[in-house]
Amino acid sequence: MISGTSFDELLNPLYNCTLCPRNCGANRSSDKLGYCQSGAGFGISSILAHRGEEPVISGTKGICNIFFSHCNMQCIYCQNYQISRNNRPHPELPLEEVIRQIEIILDKGINAVGFVSPSHYLPQVRVIMKALESRGRNPVYVFNTNSYDRTATIESFEDSMSVYLPDLKYMDEALAVEYSGAPDYPRIATQAIKEMYRQKGPDIVLDEDGVIKSGLIIRHLVLPGHVENSRECLRFIAEELSTSVHVSLMSQYYPTPMVVGHSELDRYLLPEEYDAVLKVFDRLGFWRGWVQDLDSSYHYQPDFTKPDAFG
């Protein structure tokens, strides 16, 4: 049985929740929830071994990814829309079951635990880490975030988070509001990513199998019709951080049922759009990271109604 006063104390911020920039102040143990409509329990949609991440994240065995339900952003094109929409209820798991499922995956030789969309579940993230530590586990932890995070939050993980895997979605605030309902996203996200860079720098540390142990990888998903936004995201990284940062430049966008009929997003990315962003990537001097084949959009369409959403 996993319990204890120390675990309970870690959950205290949920009773006046200001975890993310929404600053709702909601008591998540009540029926008056905040923007993300998430409770005080472990709202987890899926725990699985995921092999679809960047090669240094997945390795050959994969990573144990914990997919939290709901989100503090509501991107209308979200590829994980089945679990990220805040108007859909999701069950909560007991902590004992969360740890049981994680340990089953770790016992297969996987040594990394990824927290996917953790921004509104930070106390639960800390409890999971503490529970695993109490059981003698010391995996590599990956903070896989949309970057709509308080800088103070990132500062608080300096001594415990192994890898930061943030998205940089927008440098255009109007686009952030229209597509994700996220006011001031460029300022908030860039400050959070600057803090991640302060902690980790541009280099990544790999183990003997070429799997990441520590570092920062910045992701950017190229959206159809928005090459200029991608250009500005890359320019920020190059000018404000370093061209030595590892960047994952993704072409895997696909139009989900949520954007049917949308004037810009109801189509796949065009080859000339991705090529234009790749040219910017090269022109700015980036030399570390990953790009995708354009047909990757057909291979990254998760179905969270199945036990293996990416199978």
Side-chain angles (χ1 to χ4, degrees), residues 36-146:
C36 68
Q37 290 293 291
S38 301
F42 292 82
I44 294 172
S45 295
S46 186
I47 301 173
L48 53 83
H50 187 202
R51 295 175 178 82
E53 307 285 18
E54 288 76 9
V56 296
I57 298 286
S58 292
T60 58
K61 296 177 181 178
I63 178 174
C64 173
N65 265 345
I66 302 170
F67 289 87
F68 290 101
S69 60
H70 296 179
C71 191
N72 70 333
M73 293 176 69
Q74 289 294 277
C75 304
I76 59 175
Y77 54 84
C78 181
Q79 297 172 321
N80 294 350
Y81 69 94
Q82 291 168 310
I83 63 174
S84 65
R85 309 314 295 172
N86 292 344
N87 59 356
R88 299 181 180 181
H90 291 285
E92 294 181 344
L93 297 177
L95 176 58
E96 290 81 1
E97 177 60 16
V98 173
I99 300 303
R100 186 189 73 83
Q101 291 189 32
I102 293 171
E103 290 196 309
I104 287 174
I105 295 172
L106 294 181
D107 286 343
K108 295 178 180 179
I110 290 173
N111 190 44
V113 173
F115 300 107
V116 183
S117 299
S119 303
H120 54 312
Y121 277 107
L122 300 173
Q124 289 90 334
V125 167
R126 297 183 194 281
V127 168
I128 291 169
M129 295 170 72
K130 190 173 183 63
L132 288 172
E133 178 186 349
S134 73
R135 298 171 70 85
R137 302 284 185 171
N138 187 33
V140 170
Y141 290 114
V142 179
F143 196 79
N144 184 340
T145 176
N146 58 32

Side-chain angles (χ1 to χ4, degrees), residues 172-192:
D172 182 334
E173 183 171 351
L175 209 59
V177 172
E178 179 183 358
Y179 286 175
S180 300
D184 213 11
Y185 176 89
R187 180 184 65 82
I188 290 168
T190 54
Q191 287 181 350

Side-chain angles (χ1 to χ4, degrees), residues 53-54 144 165-168 217-221 248 250:
E53 307 285 18
E54 288 76 9
N144 184 340
L165 186 61
D167 290 331
L168 180 56
I217 298 171
I218 303 175
R219 285 176 166 176
H220 175 71
L221 175 67
S248 180
M250 300 184 294

Side-chain angles (χ1 to χ4, degrees), residues 11-19 23-41 92 120 124:
L11 299 176
N12 283 341
L14 297 170
Y15 306 126
N16 179 24
C17 187
T18 57
L19 293 172
N23 203 33
C24 295
N27 181 351
R28 288 170 53 171
S29 66
S30 72
D31 58 358
K32 295 181 180 179
L33 302 176
Y35 178 89
C36 68
Q37 290 293 291
S38 301
E92 294 181 344
H120 54 312
Q124 289 90 334

